[in-house]
Amino acid sequence: QVQLVESGGGVVQPGRSLRLSCAASGFTFSSYGMHWVRQAPGKGLEWVAVISYDGSNKYYADSVKGRFTISRDNSKNTLYLQMNSLRAEDTAVFYCAKAPVVYASRQLAYFDYWGQGTLVTVSS
Amino acid sequence: EIVLTQSPGALSLSPGERATLSCRASQSVSSSYLAWYQQKAGQAPRLLIYGASSRATGIPDRFSGSGSGTDFTLTISRLEPEDFAVYYCQQYGGSPLTFGGGTKVEIK
């Protein structure tokens, strides 16, 4: 069965950096685009970034562009989110989510599987 | 950016009743690229519906989606106790991907 397990969250001061990881299993990781989606405490869902199955295409929400970098290591079945220059408004649970279509050329997608999330708190 | 507005914000119903949730887009969603998710407290969202009306794997047939263009609906025909949760719509027809603000279905 598909499993996505996020890690790397924690408390970090404003302006500092953090790297999240998402370990994938139960499917051919290298064949699917992957996304990060976040949810501020008590709020709704916000898409953050997507990376294509081979890592060649990456897109970001305007709110994180230039500060966050999505990447993947298909040999390790792992997705990453490098977050720099963190702000208080980045405080959220970060979910990794799997796109549904194999070898998709179109990165706009819905999410058929989600991890359980990792909490990032940006506070001094 | 396509803005999705969900209504009502909250819905108080009893088990066995019918729930009708609305999702309205600020512009037409191409190819009915609209999905619905269910989220329970402390859990990740779960995919219910994609392509506006296709049920995801393992989703009971009491959940149905309809609509096109700018107006979409999620219907739960007979609420079961496990259906009380928050529901989100999401469009994937345009960039960036966006979600509605959610509808909370609570027990009356």
Side-chain angles (χ1 to χ4, degrees), chain B residues 4-5 9 12 24-25 27 32 36 52 66 69 73-74 82 84 86-87 89 98-99 102:
Chain B
L4 299 179
T5 302
S12 292
R24 180 161 290 177
Q27 56 189 278
S32 295
W36 290 93
S66 62
T73 300
L74 175 70
E82 61 267 28
F84 291 92
V86 180
Y87 293 83
C89 58
T98 52
F99 292 88

Side-chain angles (χ1 to χ4, degrees), chain A residues 39 95 106 109-111 115, chain B residues 33 37 39 44 50 88 90 92:
Chain A
Q39 186 170 35
Y95 297 100
R106 183 178 189 270
Y110 59 93
F111 316 109
Chain B
Y33 284 153
Y37 302 88
Q39 187 178 35
Y50 63 94
Y88 293 96
Q90 178 234 334
Y92 50 105

